Amino acid sequence: NAGVTQTPKFQVLKTGQSMTLQCAQDMNHNSMYWYRQDPGMGLRLIYYSASEGTTDKGEVPNGYNVSRLNKREFSLRLESAAPSQTSVYFCASSENRGELLAIFYEQYFGPGTRLTVT
Amino acid sequence: AQSVTQLDSQVPVFEEAPVELRCNYSSSVSVYLFWYVQYPNQGLQLLLKYLSGSTLVKGINGFEAEFNKSQTSFHLRKPSVHISDTAEYFCAVSETTDSWGKLQFGAGTQVVVTP
């Protein structure tokens, strides 16, 4: 039971290049999330997916696209990388099903992908 | 919209001394409150949470936090720290009306424990 896994662990891109960050979870969770972590700013939500086939924007979605390929996998794509996207990216998942009464479900985080754009 | 302010960006502390990390939040609706810990080069791990009930909550590794609604604070404490507590600590909130449990994080407090 690996929990939340992310690939790659590290990546260096040149400005304008594209890449996809992969995330998978084996906990049969419904919801998945992508965050970026920058010094002095904590984690900020980029996109989230409430279920297979649905995605919604978070706080900082510009410059990113996502795909919820199936229940296990949620990928984050940078179409044309910029230096401002240098960050550590975390994927998370939870059992959250979006009930009307907001019940707490813990989010479980992956180990992160450290991305540098030069 | 809600916001989270962690008042200290870095807290140096000696081993076996107490530590307090301060967190204040603002929100127009009621919130759930969390503290997460991030050890070097790792993902985040939930330390403790306040959902309702007793305002003093206990978490893993001897940490506890107290919810103060009038002061909109959720400060984290540990009476005696170990070297292994060196990590970054994040306060986070989630609105109770948010069905998808989205988290709003503070900027983080780096705790450095020295012998």
Side-chain angles (χ1 to χ4, degrees), chain A residues 19-34:
Chain A
M19 79 160 294
T20 300
L21 281 65
Q22 306 286 355
C23 173
Q25 50 91 9
D26 61 3
M27 296 174 281
N28 201 35
H29 284 169
N30 297 292
S31 295
M32 297 185 74
Y33 311 80
W34 275 106

Side-chain angles (χ1 to χ4, degrees), chain A residues 43-100:
Chain A
L43 279 77
R44 292 178 292 168
L45 183 64
I46 305 171
Y47 271 94
Y48 65 104
S49 170
S51 62
E52 184 180 344
T54 67
T55 61
D56 282 289
K57 295 178 180 178
E59 183 184 351
V60 288
N62 290 344
Y64 304 96
N65 288 302
V66 290
S67 295
R68 183 76 180 268
L69 305 168
N70 48 55
K71 193 171 186 181
R72 289 188 65 246
E73 298 172 288
F74 188 37
S75 62
L76 178 72
R77 183 161 178 84
L78 287 70
E79 291 290 352
S80 178
S84 61
Q85 294 177 304
T86 293
S87 189
V88 182
Y89 291 86
F90 288 99
C91 178
S93 71
S94 81
E95 292 183 68
N96 197 300
R97 291 185 295 275
E99 291 98 345
L100 288 176

Side-chain angles (χ1 to χ4, degrees), chain A residues 31 33 35 37 40-43 45 48 50 59 90 96-100 102-104 106-107 109-111 114, chain B residues 32 34 36 38 41-44 46 49 51 88 90 95-108:
Chain A
S31 295
Y33 311 80
Y35 294 89
Q37 182 183 24
M41 302 188 75
L43 279 77
L45 183 64
Y48 65 104
E59 183 184 351
F90 288 99
N96 197 300
R97 291 185 295 275
E99 291 98 345
L100 288 176
I103 301 170
F104 168 73
E106 181 175 347
Q107 288 188 25
F109 286 79
R114 190 173 294 273
Chain B
Y32 299 134
F34 313 92
Y36 281 84
Q38 184 181 30
N41 300 312
Q42 294 187 28
L44 276 71
L46 183 64
K49 60 184 182 286
L51 305 180
E88 189 152 24
F90 293 94
E95 294 182 342
T96 60
T97 53
D98 180 357
S99 296
W100 299 109
K102 298 188 294 294
L103 293 169
Q104 179 79 35
F105 286 87

Side-chain angles (χ1 to χ4, degrees), chain B residues 1 7 10 14 18 22 32 41 44 54 59 63 68-69 80 84:
Chain B
L7 296 158
Q10 189 163 11
F14 289 111
R22 298 178 293 167
Y32 299 134
N41 300 312
L44 276 71
S54 173
F63 284 91
N68 187 318
K69 189 174 181 180
S80 176
S84 59

